[in-house]
Amino acid sequence: GAVVSQHPSRVICKSGTSVKIECRSLDFQATTMFWYRQFPKQSLMLMATSNEGSKATYEQGVEKDKFLINHASLTLSTLTVTSAHPEDSSFYICSARDDQGVNEQFFGPGTRLTVL
Amino acid sequence: GEDVEQSLFLSVREGDSSVINCTYTDSSSTYLYWYKQEPGAGLQLLTYIFSNMDMKQDQRLTVLLNKKDKHLSLRIADTQTGDSAIYFCAELTDSWGKLQFGAGTQVVVTP
C-alpha cells in the first residue's frame, strides 16, 4: 500500500524554539495533504489542508502564523511550529491524498512533540 | 456541523466477532472510512465504503452501511490479539478530502 513518512518521529525542544516536521508521500503524488493534531485518548483534530503550490487552508481556531505550512512539491509538506510552548506538546499526524486514488487518504506514523 | 459518534470501548474474546458501530450526520457524505490506530502510531486505512453500497467485505472485515439511519458498522471476524487497537470511523466531508473523525473505539481482545 501507499506509504507516508514523517520526520522526526519524536522531538523534544525548549520553549520558544521552532520545530519543523516533514511529511512525505513515498510512492505516490499528493497535491493535497492534511495536518492533524491528536491529544491523548482523543480523536484527530484537523489543523489545516495543505495544497501544493498554494497557501494552506487553516481550520477555525488554528493560528496560521504559529503553524506554518509549506507544500513545495507533490511529495512533501512541512509543518513548522514557531515559538513553541508547552501547550503545543502533542502528537502531530499528517495524511496525504493519492492524486491517482479514489478519495484514499494515507496517514503518516505521527510526530510526538514535547516542549519543555 | 458534521458530527461522527462512536462507542468508546469494546472488549471481545479472541476468536469471537467484534462489531464496532458509528453514526454520522452528513447525509451527503460519499465515502465512509474505517481506520485502525495502534499505540504511538499513525492511522492505518482498513477499508472504506462508497455511499451507494450497503455492504463491503474484505477478508475478515465486513462493513455495513445503513444510509437511512446514517449508521456504519465494522465487523471483524475471528478477532485476534493483534486486532487490539483504537478504531476510527470517518466521513468524507468535501471534495478536497477533508475527513471528519469519530472519537475512536478502543477494542481490547482478551485471550
Side-chain angles (χ1 to χ4, degrees):
Chain A
V3 178
V4 175
S5 70
Q6 275 185 246
H7 178 79
S9 58
R10 56 178 66 231
V11 56
I12 301 172
C13 69
K14 291 183 178 180
S15 188
T17 60
S18 294
V19 174
K20 181 187 283 188
I21 303 170
E22 292 186 348
C23 177
R24 291 182 187 273
S25 56
L26 297 186
D27 50 3
F28 65 97
Q29 291 186 331
T31 301
T32 304
M33 294 185 177
F34 301 88
W35 286 97
Y36 295 86
R37 185 172 178 176
Q38 186 180 32
F39 291 102
K41 298 190 185 302
Q42 292 190 26
S43 188
L44 282 72
M45 183 191 79
L46 179 65
M47 299 174 66
T49 302
S50 169
N51 293 295
E52 188 268 339
S54 63
K55 290 183 179 180
T57 303
Y58 290 82
E59 294 300 299
Q60 194 172 4
V62 178
E63 298 176 58
K64 62 180 181 181
D65 294 329
K66 180 165 183 63
F67 297 100
L68 300 178
I69 291 172
N70 184 14
H71 194 151
S73 79
L74 289 174
T75 58
L76 174 64
S77 176
T78 60
L79 169 69
T80 302
V81 183
T82 62
S83 186
H85 287 93
E87 57 266 30
D88 298 324
S89 298
S90 191
F91 194 53
Y92 292 86
I93 305 177
C94 72
S95 70
R97 183 184 175 192
D98 186 350
D99 286 351
Q100 302 300 318
V102 184
N103 280 308
E104 290 172 297
Q105 207 174 117
F106 300 96
F107 284 76
T111 296
R112 172 73 59 193
L113 170 63
T114 303
V115 185
L116 302 176
Chain B
E2 303 91 353
D3 197 12
V4 179
E5 295 188 353
Q6 298 177 239
S7 53
L8 295 182
F9 185 80
L10 175 67
S11 179
V12 61
R13 285 183 183 269
E14 190 175 7
D16 289 350
S17 292
S18 311
V19 178
I20 308 166
N21 294 300
C22 172
T23 57
Y24 60 98
T25 56
D26 188 352
S27 58
S28 64
S29 291
T30 52
Y31 286 87
L32 295 132
Y33 304 83
W34 283 104
Y35 286 90
K36 176 184 180 182
Q37 185 179 34
E38 298 187 44
L43 272 66
Q44 173 194 354
L45 176 63
L46 289 177
T47 187
Y48 63 90
I49 189 167
F50 189 52
S51 60
N52 69 352
M53 298 168 66
D54 298 323
M55 185 183 86
K56 180 179 180 181
Q57 188 156 0
D58 184 1
Q59 299 182 338
R60 292 191 297 122
L61 305 178
T62 303
V63 179
L64 295 178
L65 176 61
N66 181 331
K67 278 200 74 174
K68 175 175 170 289
D69 295 336
K70 299 190 190 69
H71 183 264
L72 181 73
S73 68
L74 174 69
R75 178 177 181 269
I76 305 172
D78 187 24
T79 311
Q80 304 296 308
T81 54
D83 295 325
S84 292
I86 299 177
Y87 291 80
F88 291 95
C89 66
E91 60 176 343
L92 184 68
T93 62
D94 69 14
S95 59
W96 290 104
K98 188 186 291 188
L99 298 177
Q100 178 77 30
F101 284 88
T105 299
Q106 171 93 52
V107 173
V108 174
V109 182
T110 57

